[in-house]
Amino acid sequence: MNSSCTLDSPQTKSEYLNDVISKTMAKNPNEPEFLQAVKEVLSSLEPVVLKHETEYKDLALLERVVEPERIITFRVPWIDDNGKARVNRGFRVQFNGTLGPYKGGLRFHPTVNQSIMKFLGFEQIFKNALTCLPIGGGKGGSDFDPKGKSDNEIMRFCQSFMTELQKHIGQDVDVPAGDIGVGAREIGFLFGQYRRIKNNYEAGVLTGKGLDYGGSLARKEATGYGLIYFMREMLAANGLNLSGNTVIISGSGNVAIYAAEKALSYGAKVVAMSDSNGCIYDKDGIKLDIIKELKEVKRARIKEYLNHCPNAEYKENNGEIPAVYTIKADIVLPCATQNDITLAGAKALVENGAKAVGEGANMPCTNEAIEYFLKNNVLVAPGKAANAGGVATSALEMCQNSMRYFWSFDEVDKKLDGIMTNIFAETKKAAEVYGLGNNYVAGANIAAFRKIAKAMKSQGLI
Ligand code: NDP
Ligand code: 2IT
C-alpha cells in the first residue's frame, strides 16, 4: 500500500520531542513510511519524555534512536531462466544493536525501498525490546519480486543476495529471518550460500530455517499464534474473548494462516481472508486446509478457493478500502502489509461493529486509522507488541542453535505463550502508569522505549 503519512508539524508538549520530530522530517524528506513510524512512536512517548526531558536531551537520546547505526545497500545481479541478466537492489538496515545482535527479517517485494526498510527496522527495535530477549533491531530485503519466478530463479537470486550480505552478518552480529516473500525455501538457499562461502556451520546466523537443519519447531506458526495469544490477553482484560466472535483477516501468507489456525482453536469463526487481488468471504467459516494447500503448496491466488468451496464469494479489490475490510466482523486481524487500513477503512470497520483490531502485520493501520479506532473504543493491539511472537521464537531458535539442541513443539509454544502474555502485561502496565487507560499502542511504545533508553544510557554516547 502507499504510505499515508501526514507530514504536518508535531504538537506535543515537549519542545525537545517536537524538535527531534521536525528535524527527522527535514532530514528524511523522501521516506514517508519511516517518518510515519517515527511520528507514531515519538509522539506517544510524550509523557515519558516530559518526565526526563533534560536527561534525554543531554544524551541526544531521541536523535540517536531515530538514526540507524548503519545502512548497507548493494547490487544483486542474477540470471533468469531465459539467460537474461537482471539486477535488483539489496538492503540491510542495522538500526540499533544496544540489546543484542541486530535481528529482523528480510522482505522480498517490488515495493521495497529505503523508507520501508527503515520503518521496519525502527519498529523492530521496539518490538524486540518487548520480547525481553537479547536482540537488537534490524531489517533487510530487496525490491526483487518472487511472484512467478521458478525455484531455480529464486535460488540464483538468493545466492547472489547472500554473496554480498554475508560480509555484514553473523550469529553474534546480525541475524536475518523471513518476512514478506521470504519463507523456508528462501532461508534454505540463503543459508546454503552462507555456509558455502564461510566454510563454517554457523547455525544461528539465520532463523526460520528448515526443521531438518537447525530450525525451531513452532517458528513457522509463531507470529500468527503469538498474535492470538496477545489478543486473548487483551480481550480478557476488557471482558471479551475470541470464542463465538467473527474474524476477518487480511493476507493469506505465513502470519495470516497461523493466526487463523489459532483463532479457530479458541472457537472464533474466520469468515474472510485475502491476498493482494481481493478476498474470499465464506459465511460458513473459511476451510483453512484449502487455504494452506493453495498458498503454502501451490502458491496460487486466493480466488481459487471458489473452485473448492463454490458457496463462498470472491470480492476483487477496487477503491481505497481493500474488499476484506468491507465485511462485517467483531475482530479484525490485518496480516498483510503496511497502511492497509486507512481512515476510510477504519470508518467502515467501526460502522460494521468491530470491537478489536490485532496488527499481525507491521504498521497495517495508518496513524489516522489508529486514532479513529481508539476514539471509537475499538481495542487496538499494536503490531510491535502483538506480532512479536515471530521474532521472539527466532530468538528461541538462536538459543537452541547455541545449545546444539532442540525443544519440542509444545515447549517452544509454551514459551511463546508466556512471552506474549508478558508483553501484554508490560504494555497494559505502562499504559496504566502513564494514565492512558487501554491505549495499548502508547503502552507498548512506552514499555519498549524505557528499556532501550536505559540500556543506551548505560552504554554511553555511541
Ligand atoms: P507472506 O509473504 O507470507 O504473506 C503476505 C501476504 O500479504 C500475502 O497474502 C500477500 O498477498 C498479502 N499482501 C496483500 N497486499 C500486499 C502488499 N501490497 N504487499 C505485500 N503483501 C501483500 O508474508 P508474512 O505473512 O510473513 O508477513 C505479513 C505481514 O506480517 C508483513 O507486514 C510482515 O512484515 C509482518 N510480520 C511477519 C512476521 C513473520 O514472522 N513472517 C513477523 C512479524 C510481522 P500476495 O500473495 O497477493 O502478494
Ligand atoms: O517483522 C518481524 O518481526 C519479522 N519479520 C520476523 C523477524 C525475525 O527475526 O524473526
Side-chain angles (χ1 to χ4, degrees), residues 1 107-109 111 119-120 124 127 139 147 177-183 219-220 222-224 250-257 274-278 295 300-302 317 334-338 340 359-364 383 387-391 394:
M1 300 293 288
R107 176 176 292 189
F108 291 170
H109 194 270
T111 56
F119 114 66
L120 289 163
Q124 201 80 43
K127 183 192 306 194
K139 197 81 187 192
K147 275 205 193 86
D179 192 81
I180 291 173
V182 178
R219 172 61 188 91
K220 181 176 73 174
T223 311
S250 77
S252 47
N254 174 263
V255 180
I257 287 175
S274 67
D275 61 22
S276 55
N277 297 112
K295 290 294 175 181
R301 305 315 297 160
I302 204 160
N317 288 337
C335 296
T337 193
Q338 64 276 357
D340 208 13
E359 295 188 328
N362 287 305
M363 208 167 76
N387 72 37
V391 77
S394 276

CSV table of all heavy atoms in Angstrom, one decimal, residues 1 107-109 111 119-120 124 127 139 147 177-183 219-220 222-224 250-257 274-278 295 300-302 317 334-338 340 359-364 383 387-391 394, ligand 1:
chain,number,residue,atom,x,y,z
A,1,MET,N,0.8,-1.2,0.0
A,1,MET,CA,0.0,0.0,0.0
A,1,MET,C,0.9,1.2,0.0
A,1,MET,O,2.0,1.3,0.6
A,1,MET,CB,-0.9,0.0,1.3
A,1,MET,CG,-1.8,-1.1,1.4
A,1,MET,SD,-3.1,-1.2,0.2
A,1,MET,CE,-4.1,0.1,0.7
A,107,ARG,N,12.7,-8.8,3.6
A,107,ARG,CA,11.5,-8.8,2.7
A,107,ARG,C,11.8,-8.7,1.3
A,107,ARG,O,12.7,-7.9,0.9
A,107,ARG,CB,10.7,-7.5,3.1
A,107,ARG,CG,9.4,-7.3,2.2
A,107,ARG,CD,8.6,-6.1,2.7
A,107,ARG,NE,8.0,-6.3,4.0
A,107,ARG,CZ,7.0,-5.5,4.5
A,107,ARG,NH1,6.7,-4.4,3.8
A,107,ARG,NH2,6.5,-5.7,5.6
A,108,PHE,N,11.3,-9.6,0.5
A,108,PHE,CA,11.5,-9.5,-1.0
A,108,PHE,C,10.1,-9.1,-1.6
A,108,PHE,O,9.2,-9.9,-1.6
A,108,PHE,CB,11.9,-10.9,-1.6
A,108,PHE,CG,13.3,-11.4,-1.2
A,108,PHE,CD1,13.6,-12.7,-1.5
A,108,PHE,CD2,14.2,-10.6,-0.6
A,108,PHE,CE1,14.9,-13.2,-1.1
A,108,PHE,CE2,15.5,-11.0,-0.2
A,108,PHE,CZ,15.8,-12.4,-0.5
A,109,HIS,N,10.1,-7.9,-2.1
A,109,HIS,CA,8.8,-7.4,-2.7
A,109,HIS,C,9.2,-6.2,-3.5
A,109,HIS,O,10.0,-5.4,-3.2
A,109,HIS,CB,7.8,-7.0,-1.6
A,109,HIS,CG,6.4,-6.8,-2.1
A,109,HIS,ND1,6.0,-5.6,-2.5
A,109,HIS,CD2,5.4,-7.7,-2.2
A,109,HIS,CE1,4.7,-5.7,-2.9
A,109,HIS,NE2,4.3,-7.0,-2.7
A,111,THR,N,8.0,-3.4,-3.9
A,111,THR,CA,7.8,-2.1,-3.3
A,111,THR,C,9.0,-1.7,-2.4
A,111,THR,O,9.0,-0.6,-1.9
A,111,THR,CB,6.5,-2.0,-2.5
A,111,THR,OG1,6.5,-3.1,-1.6
A,111,THR,CG2,5.3,-2.1,-3.4
A,119,PHE,N,11.5,2.0,8.2
A,119,PHE,CA,10.4,2.0,9.1
A,119,PHE,C,10.3,0.6,9.8
A,119,PHE,O,10.1,0.4,11.0
A,119,PHE,CB,9.1,2.3,8.4
A,119,PHE,CG,8.0,1.2,8.2
A,119,PHE,CD1,7.4,0.6,9.3
A,119,PHE,CD2,7.7,0.7,6.9
A,119,PHE,CE1,6.5,-0.4,9.1
A,119,PHE,CE2,6.8,-0.3,6.8
A,119,PHE,CZ,6.2,-0.9,7.9
A,120,LEU,N,10.6,-0.5,9.0
A,120,LEU,CA,10.6,-1.8,9.6
A,120,LEU,C,11.7,-2.0,10.6
A,120,LEU,O,11.5,-2.6,11.6
A,120,LEU,CB,10.6,-2.9,8.4
A,120,LEU,CG,9.4,-3.0,7.6
A,120,LEU,CD1,9.7,-3.7,6.2
A,120,LEU,CD2,8.3,-3.7,8.3
A,124,GLN,N,11.3,-2.6,14.6
A,124,GLN,CA,11.9,-3.9,15.1
A,124,GLN,C,12.6,-3.6,16.4
A,124,GLN,O,12.7,-4.5,17.3
A,124,GLN,CB,12.8,-4.5,14.1
A,124,GLN,CG,13.1,-5.9,14.3
A,124,GLN,CD,12.0,-6.8,13.7
A,124,GLN,OE1,11.4,-6.6,12.7
A,124,GLN,NE2,11.6,-7.9,14.5
A,127,LYS,N,9.9,-3.7,19.1
A,127,LYS,CA,9.3,-5.0,19.2
A,127,LYS,C,10.3,-5.9,19.9
A,127,LYS,O,9.9,-6.7,20.8
A,127,LYS,CB,9.1,-5.5,17.8
A,127,LYS,CG,8.4,-6.8,17.7
A,127,LYS,CD,8.4,-7.4,16.2
A,127,LYS,CE,7.9,-6.5,15.2
A,127,LYS,NZ,7.6,-7.1,13.9
A,139,LYS,N,16.6,-4.8,9.8
A,139,LYS,CA,15.7,-5.3,8.8
A,139,LYS,C,16.4,-5.2,7.5
A,139,LYS,O,17.4,-4.5,7.3
A,139,LYS,CB,14.4,-4.4,8.7
A,139,LYS,CG,13.3,-5.0,7.9
A,139,LYS,CD,12.5,-5.9,8.8
A,139,LYS,CE,11.4,-6.7,8.1
A,139,LYS,NZ,10.5,-7.4,9.1
A,147,LYS,N,7.2,-13.3,-7.2
A,147,LYS,CA,6.0,-13.9,-7.8
A,147,LYS,C,6.3,-14.3,-9.3
A,147,LYS,O,6.9,-13.6,-10.0
A,147,LYS,CB,4.9,-12.8,-7.9
A,147,LYS,CG,4.0,-12.8,-6.7
A,147,LYS,CD,2.6,-12.2,-6.9
A,147,LYS,CE,2.0,-11.9,-5.6
A,147,LYS,NZ,2.3,-10.6,-5.1
A,177,ALA,N,16.0,-13.1,9.1
A,177,ALA,CA,15.0,-14.2,9.1
A,177,ALA,C,14.0,-13.9,7.9
A,177,ALA,O,14.4,-13.1,7.0
A,177,ALA,CB,14.2,-14.2,10.4
A,178,GLY,N,12.8,-14.4,7.9
A,178,GLY,CA,11.9,-14.2,6.8
A,178,GLY,C,11.0,-13.0,7.1
A,178,GLY,O,10.9,-12.4,8.2
A,179,ASP,N,10.3,-12.6,6.1
A,179,ASP,CA,9.2,-11.5,6.1
A,179,ASP,C,8.4,-11.7,4.8
A,179,ASP,O,8.5,-12.8,4.3
A,179,ASP,CB,9.8,-10.1,6.2
A,179,ASP,CG,8.8,-9.1,6.6
A,179,ASP,OD1,8.5,-8.9,7.8
A,179,ASP,OD2,8.3,-8.4,5.7
A,180,ILE,N,7.8,-10.7,4.3
A,180,ILE,CA,7.0,-10.9,3.1
A,180,ILE,C,7.9,-11.4,2.0
A,180,ILE,O,9.0,-10.9,1.7
A,180,ILE,CB,6.4,-9.6,2.6
A,180,ILE,CG1,5.3,-9.1,3.6
A,180,ILE,CG2,5.8,-9.7,1.2
A,180,ILE,CD1,4.7,-7.8,3.4
A,181,GLY,N,7.5,-12.5,1.3
A,181,GLY,CA,8.2,-13.0,0.2
A,181,GLY,C,9.4,-13.9,0.6
A,181,GLY,O,10.1,-14.4,-0.3
A,182,VAL,N,9.7,-14.0,1.9
A,182,VAL,CA,10.8,-14.8,2.3
A,182,VAL,C,10.3,-15.9,3.3
A,182,VAL,O,9.9,-15.5,4.4
A,182,VAL,CB,12.0,-14.0,2.9
A,182,VAL,CG1,13.1,-14.9,3.4
A,182,VAL,CG2,12.5,-13.0,1.8
A,183,GLY,N,10.3,-17.1,2.9
A,183,GLY,CA,9.9,-18.2,3.8
A,183,GLY,C,11.0,-19.3,3.9
A,183,GLY,O,12.1,-19.0,3.6
A,219,ARG,N,8.4,-22.2,14.9
A,219,ARG,CA,8.7,-20.9,14.4
A,219,ARG,C,7.8,-20.5,13.3
A,219,ARG,O,7.3,-19.3,13.2
A,219,ARG,CB,10.2,-20.8,13.9
A,219,ARG,CG,10.5,-19.5,13.1
A,219,ARG,CD,10.4,-18.3,14.0
A,219,ARG,NE,10.6,-17.0,13.3
A,219,ARG,CZ,9.6,-16.3,12.8
A,219,ARG,NH1,8.3,-16.8,12.8
A,219,ARG,NH2,9.8,-15.1,12.3
A,220,LYS,N,7.4,-21.5,12.4
A,220,LYS,CA,6.5,-21.2,11.3
A,220,LYS,C,5.2,-20.6,11.8
A,220,LYS,O,4.6,-19.7,11.3
A,220,LYS,CB,6.3,-22.4,10.5
A,220,LYS,CG,5.4,-22.3,9.3
A,220,LYS,CD,5.3,-23.6,8.5
A,220,LYS,CE,4.5,-24.6,9.2
A,220,LYS,NZ,4.2,-25.8,8.3
A,222,ALA,N,4.7,-19.2,14.8
A,222,ALA,CA,4.8,-18.3,15.9
A,222,ALA,C,4.2,-16.9,15.8
A,222,ALA,O,3.6,-16.5,16.8
A,222,ALA,CB,6.3,-18.2,16.3
A,223,THR,N,4.3,-16.3,14.7
A,223,THR,CA,3.8,-14.9,14.6
A,223,THR,C,2.3,-14.9,14.7
A,223,THR,O,1.7,-14.2,15.5
A,223,THR,CB,4.2,-14.2,13.3
A,223,THR,OG1,5.6,-14.4,13.1
A,223,THR,CG2,3.9,-12.7,13.3
A,224,GLY,N,1.6,-15.8,14.0
A,224,GLY,CA,0.2,-15.9,14.0
A,224,GLY,C,-0.3,-16.4,15.3
A,224,GLY,O,-1.3,-15.8,15.9
A,250,SER,N,-6.7,-10.0,6.9
A,250,SER,CA,-6.2,-9.6,5.6
A,250,SER,C,-4.9,-10.4,5.4
A,250,SER,O,-4.1,-10.7,6.3
A,250,SER,CB,-5.9,-8.1,5.5
A,250,SER,OG,-4.7,-7.8,6.2
A,251,GLY,N,-4.6,-10.8,4.1
A,251,GLY,CA,-3.5,-11.6,3.8
A,251,GLY,C,-3.8,-13.1,3.9
A,251,GLY,O,-4.9,-13.5,4.5
A,252,SER,N,-3.0,-13.9,3.3
A,252,SER,CA,-3.2,-15.4,3.4
A,252,SER,C,-1.8,-16.0,3.3
A,252,SER,O,-1.6,-17.1,2.8
A,252,SER,CB,-4.0,-15.9,2.3
A,252,SER,OG,-3.6,-15.3,1.0
A,253,GLY,N,-0.8,-15.2,3.9
A,253,GLY,CA,0.6,-15.7,4.0
A,253,GLY,C,0.9,-16.3,5.3
A,253,GLY,O,-0.1,-16.8,6.0
A,254,ASN,N,2.1,-16.3,5.7
A,254,ASN,CA,2.5,-17.0,6.9
A,254,ASN,C,1.8,-16.5,8.2
A,254,ASN,O,1.2,-17.3,8.9
A,254,ASN,CB,4.1,-16.9,7.1
A,254,ASN,CG,4.5,-17.4,8.4
A,254,ASN,OD1,4.7,-16.7,9.4
A,254,ASN,ND2,4.7,-18.7,8.5
A,255,VAL,N,1.7,-15.2,8.4
A,255,VAL,CA,1.1,-14.7,9.6
A,255,VAL,C,-0.4,-15.0,9.6
A,255,VAL,O,-0.9,-15.4,10.6
A,255,VAL,CB,1.5,-13.2,9.7
A,255,VAL,CG1,0.8,-12.6,11.0
A,255,VAL,CG2,3.0,-13.0,9.7
A,256,ALA,N,-1.0,-14.7,8.5
A,256,ALA,CA,-2.5,-14.8,8.4
A,256,ALA,C,-2.9,-16.3,8.6
A,256,ALA,O,-3.9,-16.5,9.4
A,256,ALA,CB,-2.9,-14.4,7.0
A,257,ILE,N,-2.2,-17.2,8.0
A,257,ILE,CA,-2.7,-18.6,8.1
A,257,ILE,C,-2.6,-19.1,9.5
A,257,ILE,O,-3.6,-19.7,10.0
A,257,ILE,CB,-1.8,-19.5,7.2
A,257,ILE,CG1,-2.2,-19.3,5.7
A,257,ILE,CG2,-1.9,-21.0,7.5
A,257,ILE,CD1,-1.3,-20.0,4.7
A,274,SER,N,-7.6,-12.8,2.5
A,274,SER,CA,-7.4,-12.1,1.3
A,274,SER,C,-6.0,-12.3,0.7
A,274,SER,O,-5.1,-12.9,1.4
A,274,SER,CB,-7.6,-10.6,1.5
A,274,SER,OG,-6.6,-10.1,2.3
A,275,ASP,N,-5.8,-11.9,-0.5
A,275,ASP,CA,-4.4,-11.6,-1.0
A,275,ASP,C,-4.4,-10.3,-1.7
A,275,ASP,O,-5.4,-9.5,-1.5
A,275,ASP,CB,-3.9,-12.8,-1.9
A,275,ASP,CG,-4.7,-13.0,-3.1
A,275,ASP,OD1,-5.4,-12.1,-3.6
A,275,ASP,OD2,-4.6,-14.1,-3.7
A,276,SER,N,-3.4,-9.9,-2.4
A,276,SER,CA,-3.3,-8.5,-2.9
A,276,SER,C,-4.3,-8.2,-4.0
A,276,SER,O,-4.6,-7.1,-4.3
A,276,SER,CB,-1.9,-8.2,-3.4
A,276,SER,OG,-1.5,-9.1,-4.3
A,277,ASN,N,-5.0,-9.3,-4.5
A,277,ASN,CA,-6.0,-9.0,-5.5
A,277,ASN,C,-7.4,-8.9,-5.0
A,277,ASN,O,-8.2,-8.1,-5.5
A,277,ASN,CB,-6.0,-10.2,-6.5
A,277,ASN,CG,-4.7,-10.3,-7.3
A,277,ASN,OD1,-4.0,-11.3,-7.1
A,277,ASN,ND2,-4.4,-9.3,-8.1
A,278,GLY,N,-7.7,-9.6,-3.9
A,278,GLY,CA,-9.1,-9.5,-3.4
A,278,GLY,C,-9.3,-10.5,-2.2
A,278,GLY,O,-8.3,-11.0,-1.7
A,295,LYS,N,-1.9,-21.7,-0.8
A,295,LYS,CA,-0.9,-20.7,-0.6
A,295,LYS,C,0.5,-21.4,-0.2
A,295,LYS,O,1.5,-20.9,-0.7
A,295,LYS,CB,-1.3,-19.8,0.6
A,295,LYS,CG,-2.4,-18.9,0.1
A,295,LYS,CD,-2.0,-17.9,-1.0
A,295,LYS,CE,-3.1,-17.0,-1.5
A,295,LYS,NZ,-2.6,-16.2,-2.6
A,300,ALA,N,-0.8,-20.3,-5.2
A,300,ALA,CA,-1.9,-19.9,-6.1
A,300,ALA,C,-2.6,-18.6,-5.6
A,300,ALA,O,-2.3,-18.1,-4.5
A,300,ALA,CB,-2.9,-21.0,-6.2
A,301,ARG,N,-3.5,-18.1,-6.4
A,301,ARG,CA,-4.3,-16.9,-5.9
A,301,ARG,C,-5.5,-17.4,-5.1
A,301,ARG,O,-6.0,-18.5,-5.3
A,301,ARG,CB,-4.8,-16.1,-7.2
A,301,ARG,CG,-3.8,-15.7,-8.2
A,301,ARG,CD,-2.5,-15.1,-7.6
A,301,ARG,NE,-2.8,-13.9,-6.8
A,301,ARG,CZ,-2.0,-13.3,-5.9
A,301,ARG,NH1,-0.9,-14.0,-5.6
A,301,ARG,NH2,-2.3,-12.3,-5.3
A,302,ILE,N,-5.9,-16.5,-4.2
A,302,ILE,CA,-6.9,-16.9,-3.2
A,302,ILE,C,-8.3,-17.1,-3.9
A,302,ILE,O,-9.1,-17.9,-3.4
A,302,ILE,CB,-7.0,-15.9,-2.0
A,302,ILE,CG1,-7.6,-16.6,-0.8
A,302,ILE,CG2,-7.8,-14.6,-2.4
A,302,ILE,CD1,-7.3,-15.9,0.5
A,317,ASN,N,-10.5,-6.4,-5.1
A,317,ASN,CA,-10.2,-5.1,-4.6
A,317,ASN,C,-10.5,-4.0,-5.6
A,317,ASN,O,-10.1,-4.1,-6.8
A,317,ASN,CB,-8.7,-4.9,-4.2
A,317,ASN,CG,-8.4,-5.8,-3.0
A,317,ASN,OD1,-9.2,-6.1,-2.1
A,317,ASN,ND2,-7.1,-6.1,-2.8
A,334,PRO,N,-5.4,-7.4,10.6
A,334,PRO,CA,-4.6,-7.1,9.4
A,334,PRO,C,-3.3,-7.8,9.4
A,334,PRO,O,-2.4,-7.5,10.2
A,334,PRO,CB,-4.5,-5.6,9.4
A,334,PRO,CG,-4.7,-5.2,10.9
A,334,PRO,CD,-5.5,-6.3,11.5
A,335,CYS,N,-3.1,-8.8,8.5
A,335,CYS,CA,-1.8,-9.6,8.5
A,335,CYS,C,-1.2,-9.6,7.1
A,335,CYS,O,-0.6,-10.6,6.7
A,335,CYS,CB,-2.2,-11.0,8.9
A,335,CYS,SG,-2.8,-11.2,10.5
A,336,ALA,N,-1.3,-8.5,6.4
A,336,ALA,CA,-0.7,-8.4,5.0
A,336,ALA,C,0.4,-7.5,4.9
A,336,ALA,O,1.6,-7.9,4.9
A,336,ALA,CB,-1.8,-8.0,4.0
A,337,THR,N,0.1,-6.2,4.9
A,337,THR,CA,1.2,-5.2,4.7
A,337,THR,C,0.9,-3.9,5.4
A,337,THR,O,-0.2,-3.7,6.0
A,337,THR,CB,1.5,-5.1,3.2
A,337,THR,OG1,2.7,-4.4,3.0
A,337,THR,CG2,0.4,-4.3,2.5
A,338,GLN,N,1.8,-2.9,5.2
A,338,GLN,CA,1.6,-1.6,5.9
A,338,GLN,C,0.5,-0.7,5.2
A,338,GLN,O,0.3,-0.9,4.0
A,338,GLN,CB,2.9,-0.8,5.9
A,338,GLN,CG,3.5,-0.4,4.6
A,338,GLN,CD,4.3,-1.4,3.9
A,338,GLN,OE1,4.5,-2.5,4.5
A,338,GLN,NE2,4.8,-1.2,2.7
A,340,ASP,N,-2.6,-0.7,5.2
A,340,ASP,CA,-3.7,-1.4,4.6
A,340,ASP,C,-5.1,-0.9,5.1
A,340,ASP,O,-6.0,-0.8,4.3
A,340,ASP,CB,-3.6,-2.9,5.1
A,340,ASP,CG,-4.1,-3.9,4.2
A,340,ASP,OD1,-4.4,-3.6,3.1
A,340,ASP,OD2,-4.2,-5.1,4.7
A,359,GLU,N,-2.9,-6.1,15.1
A,359,GLU,CA,-2.0,-5.9,14.0
A,359,GLU,C,-1.0,-7.1,13.9
A,359,GLU,O,0.0,-7.1,14.6
A,359,GLU,CB,-1.2,-4.6,14.2
A,359,GLU,CG,-2.1,-3.4,14.1
A,359,GLU,CD,-1.4,-2.1,14.1
A,359,GLU,OE1,-0.3,-2.0,14.7
A,359,GLU,OE2,-1.8,-1.1,13.4
A,360,GLY,N,-1.3,-8.0,13.0
A,360,GLY,CA,-0.3,-9.1,12.7
A,360,GLY,C,0.8,-8.6,11.8
A,360,GLY,O,1.9,-9.0,11.9
A,361,ALA,N,0.4,-7.7,10.9
A,361,ALA,CA,1.4,-7.1,10.0
A,361,ALA,C,2.1,-5.9,10.8
A,361,ALA,O,1.8,-5.5,11.8
A,361,ALA,CB,0.7,-6.5,8.8
A,362,ASN,N,3.2,-5.4,10.1
A,362,ASN,CA,3.9,-4.2,10.6
A,362,ASN,C,3.2,-3.0,10.1
A,362,ASN,O,3.1,-2.8,8.9
A,362,ASN,CB,5.4,-4.3,10.3
A,362,ASN,CG,6.1,-5.3,11.0
A,362,ASN,OD1,6.1,-5.3,12.3
A,362,ASN,ND2,6.8,-6.3,10.3
A,363,MET,N,2.7,-2.1,11.0
A,363,MET,CA,2.1,-0.8,10.7
A,363,MET,C,1.0,-1.0,9.6
A,363,MET,O,0.9,-0.2,8.7
A,363,MET,CB,3.2,0.1,10.2
A,363,MET,CG,2.9,1.6,10.4
A,363,MET,SD,4.3,2.7,10.1
A,363,MET,CE,4.4,2.7,8.3
A,364,PRO,N,0.1,-1.9,9.8
A,364,PRO,CA,-1.0,-2.1,8.8
A,364,PRO,C,-2.0,-1.0,8.9
A,364,PRO,O,-2.8,-0.8,8.0
A,364,PRO,CB,-1.7,-3.4,9.2
A,364,PRO,CG,-1.4,-3.6,10.7
A,364,PRO,CD,0.0,-3.0,10.9
A,383,GLY,N,1.1,-3.7,16.4
A,383,GLY,CA,2.0,-4.7,15.8
A,383,GLY,C,3.2,-5.0,16.5
A,383,GLY,O,3.6,-6.1,16.7
A,387,ASN,N,2.7,-8.7,17.1
A,387,ASN,CA,3.3,-9.7,16.2
A,387,ASN,C,4.7,-10.0,16.6
A,387,ASN,O,5.5,-10.6,15.8
A,387,ASN,CB,3.2,-9.2,14.7
A,387,ASN,CG,4.1,-8.0,14.4
A,387,ASN,OD1,5.2,-7.9,14.9
A,387,ASN,ND2,3.6,-7.1,13.6
A,388,ALA,N,5.1,-9.8,17.9
A,388,ALA,CA,6.4,-10.0,18.3
A,388,ALA,C,6.7,-11.5,18.5
A,388,ALA,O,7.9,-11.9,18.8
A,388,ALA,CB,6.7,-9.3,19.6
A,389,GLY,N,5.7,-12.3,18.4
A,389,GLY,CA,5.9,-13.8,18.7
A,389,GLY,C,6.8,-14.4,17.6
A,389,GLY,O,7.5,-15.4,17.9
A,390,GLY,N,6.9,-13.9,16.4
A,390,GLY,CA,7.7,-14.4,15.4
A,390,GLY,C,9.2,-14.2,15.7
A,390,GLY,O,10.0,-15.1,15.8
A,391,VAL,N,9.5,-13.0,16.0
A,391,VAL,CA,11.0,-12.7,16.3
A,391,VAL,C,11.3,-13.3,17.7
A,391,VAL,O,12.5,-13.7,17.9
A,391,VAL,CB,11.3,-11.2,16.3
A,391,VAL,CG1,10.8,-10.4,17.5
A,391,VAL,CG2,12.7,-10.9,16.1
A,394,SER,N,12.2,-16.7,16.9
A,394,SER,CA,13.5,-16.7,16.2
A,394,SER,C,14.6,-16.6,17.3
A,394,SER,O,15.6,-17.3,17.1
A,394,SER,CB,13.6,-15.4,15.4
A,394,SER,OG,13.0,-15.6,14.1
B,1,NDP,P1,3.8,-13.5,3.3
B,1,NDP,O1,4.7,-13.2,2.1
B,1,NDP,O2,3.8,-14.9,3.8
B,1,NDP,O3,2.3,-13.1,3.0
B,1,NDP,C1,2.0,-11.7,2.7
B,1,NDP,C2,0.5,-11.7,2.5
B,1,NDP,O4,0.1,-10.3,2.4
B,1,NDP,C3,0.1,-12.4,1.1
B,1,NDP,O5,-1.1,-13.0,1.3
B,1,NDP,C4,0.1,-11.2,0.2
B,1,NDP,O6,-0.7,-11.3,-1.0
B,1,NDP,C5,-0.6,-10.2,1.1
B,1,NDP,N1,-0.5,-8.8,0.6
B,1,NDP,C6,-1.5,-8.0,0.2
B,1,NDP,N2,-1.1,-6.8,-0.2
B,1,NDP,C7,0.2,-6.8,-0.1
B,1,NDP,C8,1.1,-5.9,-0.5
B,1,NDP,N3,0.8,-4.7,-1.0
B,1,NDP,N4,2.4,-6.2,-0.2
B,1,NDP,C9,2.8,-7.4,0.2
B,1,NDP,N5,1.9,-8.3,0.6
B,1,NDP,C10,0.6,-8.1,0.4
B,1,NDP,O7,4.3,-12.5,4.5
B,1,NDP,P2,4.1,-12.7,6.1
B,1,NDP,O8,2.8,-13.4,6.4
B,1,NDP,O9,5.4,-13.3,6.6
B,1,NDP,O10,4.0,-11.2,6.5
B,1,NDP,C11,2.8,-10.5,6.6
B,1,NDP,C12,3.0,-9.2,7.5
B,1,NDP,O11,3.4,-9.6,8.8
B,1,NDP,C13,4.1,-8.3,7.0
B,1,NDP,O12,3.7,-7.0,7.4
B,1,NDP,C14,5.3,-8.6,7.8
B,1,NDP,O13,6.2,-7.6,8.0
B,1,NDP,C15,4.6,-9.0,9.2
B,1,NDP,N6,5.3,-9.9,10.1
B,1,NDP,C16,5.8,-11.1,9.7
B,1,NDP,C17,6.5,-11.9,10.6
B,1,NDP,C18,6.9,-13.3,10.2
B,1,NDP,O14,7.4,-14.0,11.1
B,1,NDP,N7,6.8,-13.7,9.0
B,1,NDP,C19,6.7,-11.5,12.0
B,1,NDP,C20,6.1,-10.2,12.3
B,1,NDP,C21,5.5,-9.4,11.4
B,1,NDP,P3,0.0,-11.6,-2.4
B,1,NDP,O15,0.4,-13.0,-2.3
B,1,NDP,O16,-1.1,-11.3,-3.4
B,1,NDP,O17,1.2,-10.7,-2.5
